[in-house]
Amino acid sequence: MHKPEYYMHRALELASRAAEQNEVPVGAVVVYHGDIVGRGWNQPISGCDPTAHAEIMALRDAAKTLDNYRLNDCELYVTLEPCTMCAGAIINSRIRKVWYGAAEPRTGVSESICNLFSQPWYNHHPEIEGGILASRCKKLLQQFFAERRKQKEPVAKPDTP
């Protein structure tokens, strides 16, 4: 069994793949008894699919690998704090524990804007641990968006009389 950093490095590799495809660089892996059984990276733009977040793609891959939509005893490693949609999928898939890298101050729902995973109305409450290789995860995102800003030409103001 590897340390959490090992799996987060694998998720970072997938996040880099997303960046190469001009997608926001987020990557995720699902681990079952020490083995990676699901992999995913952000693909909503290339896949024309608003649900194709890294977590969702990794959960789908793991469910196919394990031939079960319930991912009991699995852990999810993701480079960015999950959003509301991904939190719902994580809860419904019964992931045992979520490890994430960087916090997401605008849409993160485990520490940033709320703790959706701890709400009493859900029948499943995964363990959550954030901050795994957080600076590397954050740096990858910052570099991606800095490059995107450089590539965009400023909007020219129309001539005024």
Side-chain angles (χ1 to χ4, degrees):
M1 192 89 133
H2 298 284
K3 292 184 178 185
E5 291 81 7
Y6 171 84
Y7 298 111
M8 192 60 74
H9 278 292
R10 304 297 73 81
L12 278 163
E13 290 168 0
L14 295 169
S16 293
R17 185 180 294 186
E20 290 167 7
Q21 297 173 357
N22 255 348
E23 301 275 3
V24 175
V26 179
V29 296
V30 175
V31 176
Y32 179 69
H33 297 296
D35 294 324
I36 296 175
V37 295
R39 292 169 178 80
W41 60 92
N42 267 3
Q43 301 173 57
I45 298 166
S46 59
C48 296
D49 180 356
T51 68
H53 288 196
E55 299 95 312
I56 302 293
M57 304 308 287
L59 293 172
R60 288 175 181 165
D61 191 34
K64 285 181 183 175
T65 299
L66 297 174
D67 197 30
N68 195 341
Y69 76 104
R70 295 280 193 223
L71 301 175
N72 298 315
D73 298 323
C74 289
E75 297 182 355
L76 174 71
Y77 293 79
V78 60
T79 58
L80 188 64
E81 181 182 2
C83 70
T84 303
M85 175 184 68
C86 293
I90 290 164
I91 291 166
N92 285 318
S93 67
R94 305 298 193 264
I95 287 286
R96 187 183 70 74
K97 184 168 184 172
V98 177
W99 304 79
Y100 68 89
E104 172 39 278
R106 285 180 264 166
T107 61
V109 295
S110 67
E111 73 172 87
S112 294
I113 60 171
C114 67
N115 187 343
L116 196 57
F117 294 105
S118 70
Q119 297 308 308
W121 53 80
Y122 291 120
N123 62 349
H124 178 72
H125 300 91
E127 290 180 54
I128 309 293
E129 187 164 338
I132 308 301
L133 300 179
S135 60
R136 286 192 183 188
C137 296
K138 185 176 180 179
K139 184 178 180 181
L140 182 62
L141 287 159
Q142 289 172 332
Q143 289 173 332
F144 174 81
F145 286 113
E147 187 61 34
R148 294 272 310 250
R149 284 189 290 276
K150 276 196 274 184
Q151 291 174 359
K152 293 198 183 228
E153 293 185 28
V155 177
K157 292 184 179 180
D159 292 331
T160 55

